[in-house]
Every structure is written in structure tokens, then in C-alpha cells.
Amino acid sequence: MSEMEENNFMAMNVEAGQKYRTAGFTQRRFLNLNAKSGRNSCHVFCRRFFICILLLTVVVLSSVIYAAIHFARTLPDVCHTKECLRSAAAFKQSMDLTVDPCDDFYSYVCGNWADDHPRPEMRGEYDWFGERQIKIFRNIRAKLETNASRSDPKPVAQSKAMYKSCLDYAARKKEGFKAVSKYLKEFGLPAVPTLLNQSRISSRNYKFDWVSSVAKIQRKLGFNVIIGFDIVPDHLDKNRNRLTLEYFYTPGDFQFPFYEWSKFKPKGHSRSSKRRIVDSEEEEDEDENEKSLNPEDVAELLEQTVEAIHPGLNIMKWKNRFVPLAEQFIAFHKALPERYESEDDDADYYSVEELQKLTDSYIAPKKPYPVWQRYFNVLFDDFPNAKPRPDEKLQMDNGTVQYLLKLIDSVSRQSQAQIELYVWSRVASFLVDHELNDVESEQECAENVHRFLGLAVSYAIADQNFLTGTKPRIERMLREIGTEFDGIVLETDWMDAYTKYASLEKSKAMKSLIGFPDWIMDSKKLNEYYQGLRVDEHRYLENWVSAIEFLQTDRLRSWQVKNNRVWDMDPTEVNAFYLAERNAIYIPVAIIQYPFYYLGLEALNYGALGEVLGHELTHGFDNSGRHFDKNGNLERWWSNQTIREYDSRADCFVKQYGSYYVKEAKQYVNGSLTLGENIADNGGLREAFWAYKSFKKEHGPESTLPGFEEFTHEQLLFISYGNQNCQIISPSVAKGLLQDEHSPSRFRVRGVLSNMPEFSEVFNCPIGSAMNPEKKCRIW
């Protein structure tokens, strides 16, 4: 092969190789691209599949969540706070669900209450008020039993010392006899009655200034013997106080009632504020004793009193003198006039001089018998600036004046020794019984300290959190209830425009005192208030007298001062009050506890404490409160036509409650006696009900009560109201209850709810049922 041919062949091979490499590269590239494309397609598919699964999962989960939320929204919002759980459990325990609420709502709510609230043996009736009061006293006792600390204000430390002195029986007996003798001497009384020590006494030689003696007793011990005084708001001007004269005697019973911490007589919410409920047979026995005093029984009491004061005395040498002494006492008693019943009890004004002239004129032709100015001279001996002038006007009703004239006439006919015997017996038995009675328990000692040092004791339960947290909520509730009352007044069709306006003005001017006076938490102010009080841990009788004298001193000094004291009620009393003379509502801190408040739901709070607030507000417009104007002055401020319409509606209540028969007492409720409380009950719950409706409208629906999911909040409100009225009554006190201004609790519940269309509506009670009669009574 030639060289040229060889070069051409080589060139052809090179070209063919290049084509082959190019083709192979292209083929491999194609294959590589196909492989890569396959792998990408797989990734896309997987990714899209995963996204689909994820979206499906999200849709399913969203559906489940939506369904769960929707289902949860359809379930009731149940309250599980400790307050709600306690209320629910208590209601379940107390209710008798076998009873139809439209037949007997009281039994429906309270049918099983007695099972968990056994009545103490010493109490004839028992209710929530009594049970909670026992708790308060138990707390007070626990505070008093602790040792005084440096942080305690002086009055608090004194209250603890007084409590310890009450329990120190050995010291009481050791020092007690000396103390009683000391006080008798201070009052101008002998160690033993003069008639006991001497068989014959010359009236010319024996002198006893009984007027001075009873004035000193009043100033020191705070109770009336033959005559006494009090300080009352002026019935025409409640911005000032006036002195008044009183009388007091119970010769058939040597025991005295304890000194009253407050002399005011407010409208109270609970039964316990009015009177002590005792066995009706006991009352009948006491009445019988008043009518026929047995000389032997009186002689025995006199002998025991003398022997207690003088334990070392040879009592046997006077043994045969006590019966004649008792006969003298009974003779004095029988000479006293019967209580003068007057149809005209309106207050009037008499100067000391005018009263003395009336007295001298009444006993004529006997010589003048100066009493009244002498009585005030001794009473105010230590406070000359406060002593009333002869021309000072006293405020007295005609019945009291007529009785006092007869009383002085009767006393003026008795011998000085007989008067002394009577005064001595009253005071000596009073001191001996209180000092030497060794059956007092820790609880009774705590109650005694609380009775005399109420504000110092209240310091122990005063709480700043109450002032900043709870009190504003109570004030808001009261404002809302007041707004509803105002609306009711405006809607009435039986009041004229002027009376409506005056009623709204009185409602607006009504003061409210809630909890306790703020200043008692200030140690400096508390110390100033009790300045002058003396307490010794080993001298109980002196402590007791010192506390009474302290209170009396405060009264004697302040009667001429402008009447600007507002807190006269005891903050530790489980009760609520309305005082017409001040147009003021008092809600002590002691009642702001379960089951009246802190019930978990506002529906329950409005049904319990809300009704109490409405009750007290309505007292300002009941058959008694309506006679007092917005300033607390006794004044005619209603038109004649409005009064006639009011009386007609009030008569409906008298007949309604008068038809309720108390089988235990075999008597009917006194509809006239209980009228004021029944009006307050009916108005109070209606106002609380509509106030809660307004609250719910503003704040939205509340949670439900556990175990009561099927009940509406309005039904729960009525259940709460019924529950706070649960009560146990012993058959032996049933008659006594009917002498009270409050209807028995069963009929308080039945009367109020059967008059409320709102109740029948929420419980679907048919017309004509016991709780939904066709005829209903209503004023407010």
C-alpha cells in the first residue's frame, strides 16, 4: 500500500472512531437522561402522595377537632371551684327530691336539712343563723384563748385578759365577795338589808336616798332599778339625741337581763335578733310567778344571796327573819302600779321642771317629792357639762309619763326600809349571780367578753382583704338591688307622683354599713376608743363592771353631741338590720359567710345574701318604715290616697299569712304581727331576682352547678333562698315562735314564692297549685 493510501485509510479510521465516540457519548447521555428522568418522576409521585396523605390527615384531624369543639360547646360549663362543690353537696344533702316543688317548695329544699344539722339540746329552734353564730363564737373563743402579743392593740389584749379572768374560778370566789360588798357600799346600800338586821326601825331616824342609789347603779351597772334613763334619736330631728326616762322591774324573778350593747331596736333579718325563744311552758310559769309570789320561795332566794355575799356569816340567827323579809318585798311589789297601756304612744317633749310639776300635782295633797332633777344630778355627777338643765326637754311618750307618775306615787307611800330592801335585792342578786355562778363555760365566757368589748373582739376577725375585695362586691349588689327597687316604685300604679318621688329620694338617701367600721383596724384609733377601760386578769367582777361603766360613760358624755355615730351594731352578729331612725342598713361581717355568701355562683349569692339586702332595704318602706322620711324623722310624707292603697294591699298579706296554721302550736300565724317582716321578705326576694337578671344580662351566663346541670340559674337562685331558711323547731317552742315578728321559716318561704309569678314560671307550676295560687299579694 502506498504511503498515500495508508494515510487515507488512517484518516478514515480516525473519522470513524470519532463518529463512534460521538454516537456512544450521545447514547450514553440519552440513557443517563432517561435514568435521571425516571428517578425524578418517582420523587414527584412520592411527594405528591405524601402531600395528599398529609392533607387528608389535616382534614380528618380538623374535622375531629371541630367536632370535639362543637360537642364541647354543647356541654354545660360546670363550675368546679371549692365553693361550687360545697354548695352543690349541701343542696343535695338537704333537698328531698321526692317532693314536688310546686306543692311544697320548703320541704323540697329543706326536707333533709335536719339530718346534717342536729338541733343542740339547749335550743328550742335551730337554723343557719344560729349555726353560723356558734361558729363565730367558736372563732372568737379561739382568738381569746391565745396569749396577748406585742402586736395586739391594748383593747385586744384587755379582751383576752377579761376572758382569762372569767375562767379563773378560784380568783373569782376569793375576790368576788369583797367586790360585791364594795359595790353595795358605793351604791349607798348596807351589807345586808336593814329590815333583816333590825326588827323595828324608826322612820324618823332611818333615811335612805333611793333616788341617788338607783342613779349610781345606772351609771355603774347600766340597768334600771325602779327608774332609769336612755338616749334616743330625736323623733323630729335625727341629727340630735335626747334623753328619755324609763322604768323597769321584775319582782318575780331575781335574775337580770344582761346589759344591752346597743339600746337601739332595729329591724333584724333573722329571728334571733328579736327575742330569745324559750319553751312556752317556761314562759307560762314565769307569768304565773309574776302574779303570785310565794313568800317561802322569795325568802330562800334572799337567804342564798345574803349567804353568798357573807360566807362566814352565822345565817342561822336570822333564819326566822327571812320569811317576814320576803313578805315585805312582796308587799312592795304589789303596791307597784300595773303598766299603763296608752293608745297614744307618739313621742312628746317634757322639761325636767315640767315633769316634776306633773309628779307633784299627781301625788297631791302630799308634799312635793323631788325626784327627776336629783336623779340627773347624781347620774351626771362626774360629767357636769353633760348634765341636763331643768328646762332641758326630755323625749317621752304619754304612756311612760302616766306610768312614772303612778310609780312615784306608789314609792312615796312606802317606808324607806322597804324601798331599800327592794333596791338591795335587785342589785345584790345581780352581782352575786354574775360573779359566783360557776357553771359558765369557755363559750359563755367568750360571749360575755364579746358582749362588752364587741369592737375589740371584732378586731380579731377584721380583714383588709374584705375591705378591698368582698365589700365592693356587696356594695355593687346592693346598688343593683336598689336600682330594681326604684324601678318597682316607678312602675307602681297605686302611688301618686309626689309619693313616688319622695320614695325614690328616701331610697337614694339610704345609708349602708357593710362588714365592720374601717377604723377598728387602726390600732391607734382602737386604743383611743377604749381609753379609760381598766382590766385585771384576776378580777373578773371588776372587769365586768368596768366594761359596763366604760360604755355608760361614753353614753353620758355623748348624748348632747350631734348624732353622727353610725356603727351601733355588732359586726360579729350573724344578722342584718334596718334602722328607721337613721334610714340605714347594717350588714355585719359575720353574715357575709357561707351559706349567705361565697356560694360559688352569683345566682346563689343573689338568692341568699341578695335577698337579705333587699329585705333590709324594703324595711324602709314597710308598714313601720314608711312613717319615717329620708332623714329618719317621723313624718307624714305619703298622700292620703297612697296610704289607703298601701293599707289595702297590706291587708292582703295579713289575711294570707294569717291563714297559715302551725300544727305544732295548734295556732295560726299572726298576720298583723308579722306584717312588716312579710312585706320585707316579699319585696326583698323580688328585688334580688331582677337584680340578678340584670347582672346576667350585663356579664353573660354563668357556669352551672355540678349535679344541677339540668337546673336554670333562676331555679338555683330560688333554691339558695329556700336553703337559707331551713329550720328545725321543737314542738315545745312553737307557741313562742308565733309571738315573734317573723313568720316561721316554712311560711316565710311559702308566702314569698307563692306570691311571685317569676317563681311559678321558672318551675312551671300550674295555676291553682299550692305554690301558684290564683290570688297573689304584692306591694313592692
Side-chain angles (χ1 to χ4, degrees):
M1 181 180 295
S2 66
E3 183 177 356
M4 181 177 294
E5 289 177 344
E6 185 177 349
N7 288 337
N8 287 336
F9 177 78
M10 291 298 295
M12 289 177 62
N13 287 336
V14 170
E15 183 179 358
Q18 288 177 341
K19 288 182 179 181
Y20 174 78
R21 285 194 298 271
T22 302
F25 175 79
T26 301
Q27 184 179 16
R28 288 194 302 270
R29 186 179 180 187
F30 177 77
L31 291 174
N32 289 338
L33 286 174
N34 283 342
K36 186 176 181 179
S37 176
R39 287 194 300 271
N40 288 343
S41 297
C42 180
H43 289 165
V44 170
F45 175 78
C46 290
R47 187 162 53 248
R48 288 177 179 175
F49 179 77
F50 175 75
I51 291 173
C52 289
I53 293 298
L54 181 60
L55 289 175
L56 181 62
T57 302
V58 170
V59 170
V60 172
L61 288 175
S62 299
S63 300
V64 171
I65 293 172
Y66 175 80
I69 293 174
H70 178 73
F71 179 72
R73 286 177 177 174
T74 62
L75 290 176
D77 179 16
V78 181
C79 173
H80 287 104
T81 65
K82 63 179 182 180
E83 289 83 5
C84 284
L85 294 173
R86 176 175 61 180
S87 297
F91 289 161
K92 285 291 186 182
Q93 287 291 101
S94 298
M95 296 175 70
D96 184 354
L97 299 178
T98 64
V99 177
D100 187 341
C102 296
D103 288 339
D104 184 355
F105 192 75
Y106 177 84
S107 295
Y108 175 71
V109 173
C110 300
N112 295 322
W113 189 81
D115 294 342
D116 288 334
H117 304 270
R119 176 176 60 85
E121 292 183 4
M122 300 303 294
R123 300 182 70 107
E125 61 92 20
Y126 195 54
D127 55 16
W128 274 119
F129 290 87
E131 182 170 307
R132 296 290 96 179
Q133 189 66 71
I134 290 174
K135 176 188 175 184
I136 291 291
F137 281 139
R138 189 166 56 244
N139 292 342
I140 289 173
R141 187 181 69 191
K143 296 288 186 180
L144 293 174
E145 287 175 345
T146 61
N147 294 324
S149 65
R150 292 184 178 181
S151 61
D152 284 339
K154 182 179 178 181
V156 175
Q158 288 177 316
S159 67
K160 295 179 179 181
M162 188 173 181
Y163 174 75
K164 288 180 172 60
S165 71
C166 180
L167 295 176
D168 191 349
Y169 301 119
R172 284 172 60 175
K173 289 191 175 183
K174 180 180 178 182
E175 301 294 333
F177 306 116
K178 298 177 183 178
V180 173
S181 297
K182 180 186 72 173
Y183 289 127
L184 289 175
K185 184 177 180 179
E186 185 177 333
F187 300 147
L189 294 167
V192 297
T194 302
L195 284 174
L196 179 65
N197 201 23
Q198 300 180 27
S199 58
R200 293 184 180 180
I201 299 174
S202 171
S203 60
R204 292 183 179 180
N205 298 329
Y206 181 76
K207 299 295 181 183
F208 172 64
D209 187 356
W210 72 266
V211 175
S212 174
S213 182
V214 299
K216 291 176 180 178
I217 293 167
Q218 173 62 251
R219 188 176 65 195
K220 197 86 172 180
L221 300 182
F223 71 90
N224 303 337
V225 181
I226 301 181
I227 58 174
F229 88 103
D230 196 3
I231 296 174
V232 295
D234 190 320
H235 78 289
L236 294 179
D237 180 10
K238 292 304 183 294
N239 289 320
R240 65 159 296 172
N241 292 316
R242 286 195 182 272
L243 287 170
T244 188
L245 287 164
E246 297 180 332
Y247 58 89
F248 179 82
Y249 71 95
T250 54
D253 181 8
F254 279 103
Q255 308 307 315
F256 283 76
F258 58 76
Y259 178 81
E260 294 182 16
W261 188 81
S262 170
K263 289 289 185 178
F264 291 106
K265 301 293 185 282
K267 284 279 189 176
H269 186 80
S270 77
R271 184 179 307 280
S272 60
S273 67
K274 292 299 178 185
R275 63 190 297 273
R276 179 177 64 94
I277 302 300
V278 296
D279 192 298
S280 58
E281 295 178 1
E282 178 185 335
E283 287 185 336
E284 293 173 359
D285 291 342
E286 289 179 359
D287 293 340
E288 187 63 29
N289 286 337
E290 285 288 324
K291 296 176 183 177
S292 58
L293 293 174
N294 186 292
E296 286 73 20
D297 294 337
V298 175
E300 183 179 357
L301 289 171
L302 288 170
E303 182 179 346
Q304 290 173 351
T305 303
V306 172
E307 191 173 15
I309 299 173
H310 308 283
L313 193 66
N314 182 10
I315 204 74
M316 294 305 297
K317 72 175 184 178
W318 290 330
K319 192 72 174 178
N320 60 345
R321 294 186 183 180
F322 282 105
V323 171
L325 193 70
E327 290 173 345
Q328 292 271 32
F329 181 93
I330 294 171
F332 183 92
H333 164 61
K334 289 184 176 179
L336 295 176
E338 295 290 333
R339 176 182 171 86
Y340 184 85
E341 298 292 345
S342 172
E343 295 181 359
D344 179 17
D345 286 331
D346 291 340
D348 204 350
Y349 301 102
Y350 299 83
S351 70
V352 179
E353 287 181 332
E354 289 171 340
L355 189 60
Q356 186 60 56
K357 288 180 179 179
L358 286 174
T359 303
D360 292 337
S361 175
Y362 188 86
I363 66 175
K366 291 185 294 183
K367 64 180 182 179
Y369 198 85
V371 177
W372 308 117
Q373 190 60 54
R374 291 177 58 234
Y375 174 77
F376 284 121
N377 286 344
V378 177
L379 187 65
F380 288 88
D381 185 46
D382 295 334
F383 320 106
N385 294 333
K387 183 173 67 176
R389 305 179 308 274
D391 62 344
E392 185 73 46
K393 294 291 186 179
L394 311 178
Q395 180 173 294
M396 303 173 67
D397 64 79
N398 183 56
T400 299
V401 171
Q402 293 301 314
Y403 180 86
L404 289 175
L405 298 180
K406 291 184 177 182
L407 179 65
I408 299 304
D409 181 43
S410 173
V411 173
S412 69
R413 298 174 187 273
Q414 310 303 313
S415 70
Q416 296 295 303
Q418 272 187 302
I419 302 173
E420 177 220 272
L421 170 64
Y422 176 77
V423 176
W424 185 95
S425 301
R426 303 299 299 171
V427 177
S429 62
F430 180 40
L431 294 172
V432 167
D433 176 71
H434 195 92
E435 171 58 26
L436 307 178
N437 185 354
D438 59 2
V439 299
E440 287 182 278
S441 64
E442 290 89 346
Q443 186 67 26
E444 290 169 321
C445 285
E447 290 177 11
N448 275 338
V449 176
H450 165 261
R451 184 176 299 130
F452 296 115
L453 303 180
L455 291 178
V457 170
S458 298
Y459 176 89
I461 64 173
D463 182 10
Q464 184 64 41
N465 292 331
F466 173 85
L467 296 178
T468 57
T470 303
K471 184 177 179 179
R473 295 198 296 271
I474 305 297
E475 290 173 332
R476 182 208 68 203
M477 181 185 289
L478 183 56
R479 285 194 302 270
E480 293 170 350
I481 289 171
T483 299
E484 294 303 324
F485 175 80
D486 293 346
I488 290 172
V489 170
L490 291 172
E491 293 173 359
T492 57
D493 57 2
W494 52 271
M495 300 179 78
D496 61 81
Y498 169 79
T499 309
K500 283 186 178 183
Y501 175 78
S503 297
L504 294 175
E505 286 292 297
K506 180 174 182 178
S507 173
K508 181 180 178 181
M510 191 175 291
K511 297 179 285 293
S512 61
L513 295 99
I514 298 173
F516 50 83
D518 299 0
W519 61 264
I520 69 172
M521 298 191 66
D522 187 323
S523 298
K524 183 179 179 181
K525 292 182 179 179
L526 191 64
N527 290 335
E528 290 175 354
Y529 179 82
Y530 282 101
Q531 186 175 2
L533 176 65
R534 302 180 306 277
V535 174
D536 188 311
E537 190 172 321
H538 303 291
R539 299 181 181 274
Y540 176 59
L541 182 60
E542 285 91 334
N543 293 341
W544 174 64
V545 173
S546 177
I548 296 175
E549 188 176 16
F550 166 78
L551 293 173
Q552 285 294 86
T553 297
D554 183 62
R555 296 176 70 216
L556 291 170
R557 283 175 173 169
S558 64
W559 78 271
Q560 288 182 324
V561 179
K562 183 178 179 180
N563 186 11
N564 58 1
R565 281 195 169 182
V566 289
W567 263 106
D568 289 291
M569 304 301 152
D570 187 348
T572 58
E573 183 171 356
V574 181
N575 210 333
F577 307 93
Y578 171 74
L579 192 63
E581 291 86 352
R582 290 184 179 170
N583 191 27
I585 294 173
Y586 295 81
I587 310 296
V589 67
I591 200 174
I592 306 176
Q593 61 168 312
Y594 176 84
F596 308 102
Y597 199 66
Y598 303 117
L599 291 164
L601 299 180
E602 286 301 300
L604 305 178
N605 289 333
Y606 275 81
L609 186 64
E611 187 277 334
V612 173
L613 299 177
H615 175 105
E616 302 309 330
L617 185 154
T618 309
H619 266 313
F621 305 88
D622 66 10
N623 58 315
S624 175
R626 72 173 182 82
H627 294 289
F628 295 84
D629 67 10
K630 67 179 182 179
N631 298 313
N633 296 319
L634 191 61
E635 185 177 329
R636 187 182 178 90
W637 55 282
W638 285 32
S639 68
N640 291 334
Q641 178 60 30
T642 298
I643 292 174
R644 285 192 292 270
E645 292 286 347
Y646 184 94
D647 289 342
S648 174
R649 285 161 174 76
D651 187 59
C652 180
F653 284 107
V654 172
K655 293 177 180 177
Q656 176 193 8
Y657 283 83
S659 69
Y660 294 149
Y661 184 74
V662 183
K663 61 182 181 180
E664 295 87 352
K666 298 180 180 179
Q667 290 182 15
Y668 288 92
V669 174
N670 187 329
S672 298
L673 175 65
T674 59
L675 177 59
E677 296 298 329
N678 297 334
I679 291 172
D681 279 345
N682 279 264
L685 185 60
R686 180 173 287 107
E687 293 148 21
F689 177 85
W690 287 107
Y692 174 69
K693 296 283 280 188
S694 298
F695 171 87
K696 192 167 71 168
K697 183 177 181 180
E698 178 180 353
H699 298 278
E702 295 188 275
S703 303
T704 60
L705 199 64
F708 290 83
E709 291 85 356
E710 71 278 14
F711 288 81
T712 67
H713 291 97
E714 288 74 15
Q715 288 175 325
L716 291 174
L717 183 148
F718 288 121
I719 289 174
S720 180
Y721 164 71
N723 177 264
Q724 77 165 356
N725 283 285
C726 294
Q727 182 185 45
I728 309 170
I729 302 175
S730 169
S732 62
V733 305
K735 286 187 178 180
L737 287 174
L738 295 183
Q739 299 173 23
D740 189 86
E741 294 181 6
H742 300 79
S743 299
S745 292
R746 173 182 294 275
F747 298 115
R748 293 181 77 169
V749 173
R750 177 178 174 180
V752 171
L753 298 183
S754 64
N755 285 326
M756 287 188 68
E758 298 91 338
F759 168 80
S760 297
E761 180 180 347
V762 301
F763 276 97
N764 298 314
C765 295
I767 297 177
S769 60
M771 299 303 300
N772 188 18
E774 293 187 11
K775 182 178 180 181
K776 293 178 170 58
C777 300
R778 178 174 176 178
I779 293 180
W780 305 113

